[in-house]
Amino acid sequence: MKLALVGIGKIAVDQHVPAIAASPDWEVGATVSRAGTLPGVEAFTDMARMLEKRPDIRVVSLCLPPVPRFAYAQAAIRAGRHVMLEKPPGASLSECHALEALARENRVSLYATWHSREAAMVRPARNWLSDKRVTRAHITWREDVRHWHPGQDWVFEPGGMGVFDPGINALSILTRILPAPVHLTRATLDVPGNRQTPIAAHLTLSGNVTAEFDWLQTGKQTWEIEVETPEGTLLLQDGGARLLIDGKERGADDEDDTLQGEYPRLYDNFARLVTRGGIDMDLSPLTHVADAFMLGERRAVAPFDW
Ligand code: NAP
């Protein structure tokens, strides 16, 4: 199936292009981007024009930041195209609900992707926890924004979500592996004096679940989730790539878990979704982020510059 790749920037080039190139299901038929292009692929700078000129392209994958993405998604769905959304699926919950309603009305597939859920050991972690009682869980998500998002000012603008841009990846894993839902009860948000979104956050959720997100971590980067149960302690490391139970490393439950990377799995999932029809729009990670912005206590911290 041919798709249009929209928003040719960091994640499109780093992950989407190689995943599509390796996929038996997909081919990039066109790009839409104000400046970015891909070699040998028809390039549009205007979404409406692509939708009009390329009726053969039935599917659109949107790699733009969340704030500008909504208008592109709306246009694609209204034009009867199936749509895949980078995470987070929108800059607000209302936007996501609006897109979902529009997709139902236009009978197209809509896929809110959560790439971290496709990390190799997330499914085994979910399986291990499925029949257990969680007594405590803690997320540690510490990375260096200057390394991972160099110069991307949109992350510090309203709707850019700040440290929740990576933090929502942790929340997407948490909401996938816990056997029962939790909800946010308290948060502190550290917002640089010259910016609009947090650079660090501490969250408290029901069920004795806590999270710390930090975007100023230089040196070793940490993406870990620890979950305690009466039967033992689960530790997901490296963003879900490694799983330890009581300190002992576990292998994948089934071979498929180690076969592919996160983005190839997303495109596999999307091919199946488009083929069978339907909507895959789990908003639980974004709900926790929205609640953190609603309930969070803001603390002004040192200004941030690249
Ligand atoms: P990015 O490189 O800053 O933006 C992607 C492209 O979107 C830009 O190159 C730009 O292309 C287009 N764009 C940006 N602002 C726009 C606007 N206002 N209107 C229209 N087009 C605009 O961002 P990214 O890092 O790829 O992130 C994009 C999405 O992927 C985010 O939701 C992010 O959370 C997610 N993601 C990123 C990473 C990562 O490591 N960076 C990892 C996983 C997921 P043109 O200038 O050519 O239009």
Side-chain angles (χ1 to χ4, degrees), residues 2-4 27-31 41-44 48-59 81:
K2 279 188 191 150
L3 60 75
E27 179 192 334
V28 183
T31 59
V41 178
E42 185 177 10
F44 293 84
R49 195 161 167 78
M50 188 282 293
L51 293 168
E52 185 199 331
K53 294 281 168 200
R54 294 297 303 268
D56 58 313
I57 295 180
R58 307 306 307 160
V59 176
R81 306 312 208 274

Side-chain angles (χ1 to χ4, degrees), residues 20-35:
I20 294 164
S23 166
D25 301 307
W26 299 106
E27 179 192 334
V28 183
T31 59
V32 182
S33 213
R34 298 164 310 174

